Amino acid sequence: MSARAPAGGDARRITILGSTGSIGVNTLDVIAQLGGRDAFEIEALTGSANIALLARQARQCGARLAVTADPARYGELKEALAGTGIAVAAGRSGLAEAAQRPAGRVMAAIVGTAGLEPTLAAAERGADIALANKECLVAAGDLLIRTAARAGGRVIPVDSEHSAIFQTLETDNRHALERIVLTASGGPFRTWPREKMAAATPDMARVHPNWSMGMKISIGSASMFNKALEMIEARHLFDLRPEQIEVVVHPQSIVHSMVGYADGSVLAQLGAPDMRTAIGYALSWPRRPHLDVERLDFARIGRLDFEAPDEERFPALRLARLALARGGLQGAVLNAAEETACAAFVAGRIGFLAMAEITEKVMDRLAGLPAAGSIGAVMAADADARRLAATMAG
Ligand code: NAD
Ligand code: MG
């Protein structure tokens, strides 16, 4: 594949939406490994509450603009960057400015639907989107993919499973693709009986066996809602039919996902459970960078296990298939209901299993919303689902 100039500007000029999160911090680490300021220009960084980290990052990488999503923290950020020449902005308009500035590649690493508006804005001007913020695709996949295609930008997955599929998808053999197999670690409750899961606390749920990640995605790995979101994410990224999307539990998180072809071949991408490989690939695509990450030692790993997911204990997977079958705005509804229920679980208001129960009830109540032509329709469905879920969560 030859390098191409993205429609949205120089691919070495980068904006990171959500630089202070787990993916954001890893992205800056990868950028430092790939030559830092000699190799990349950082156009804008955005964060929310952690102003000290955001200011330190902006100084270190010489960002042109730093944005906090929280308007109340504008003064604090301004003060922290006084005398540096780094522009400062806040709130929704600040996020929009960060997205609109001329970076050729934008790392979308905000968590949840909050990332949708700025990610769409970056896609609208043709930037390549390195997409970690899977909720964007779950809530508004058709819209985001269409917008990027129309403007001439690419959506390059950062989620490790989707990066694996992106890396093993033979574009010349697209017609021979039969299925994709998403791997799931099974999370900390993989072997727990349902009764024990019912009493699980947020502290038990947030401890992931293999990956170190933000709060929401860690809880989502325990409930397998993360995999549910990833099934819908895959449908939009790779234009798949629902029945082409399989999930297998693979506790070691070494095989990041697989693509099955018409000749019986299955191609897989393997690596240590370290997001920096997928991040580096998304920042460097179509090239593969050199990265200082752990190399797999197969003799030491010894074995790779696979098992069928248990949908009795993990109903999230069934709900993803329901959303895929119903279509329309069910992805947006599932996503918003789950985000709200997850917050209620973390706050101690509901039990672990209630997250799926509430999400399913909200999906049933809001079934039949037609596919969205605009971000307004998506955000309206999102707001309705949040309101219903919050009421059910008490
Ligand atoms: P995180 O919670 O560690 O970080 C989230 C980032 O979003 C922070 O920079 C935060 O300041 C910002 N943010 C939070 N609320 C915001 C709001 N209302 N408005 C604007 N910005 C806001 O999350 P993370 O684990 O880095 O995950 C980020 C995204 O990447 C998620 O969509 C997640 O599903 C996806 N992802 C993460 C991993 C991982 O290993 N952490 C792996 C695959 C995909
Ligand atoms: Mg993933």
Side-chain angles (χ1 to χ4, degrees), residues 6 12 52 63 73 90 121 145 167 196 203 230 264 283 311 327 340 377:
R12 297 266 144 187
R73 293 178 196 266
I145 297 289
Q167 292 181 49
K196 197 172 163 197
D203 277 346
E230 291 183 354
L283 292 181
E311 294 195 8
T340 308

Side-chain angles (χ1 to χ4, degrees), residues 11 14 27 30-31 34 40 105 107 130 278-285:
I14 294 194
T27 301
V30 167
I31 286 174
L34 299 183
F40 292 95
R105 205 155 281 186
M107 169 60 72
I279 291 169
Y281 191 79
L283 292 181
S284 308
W285 179 86

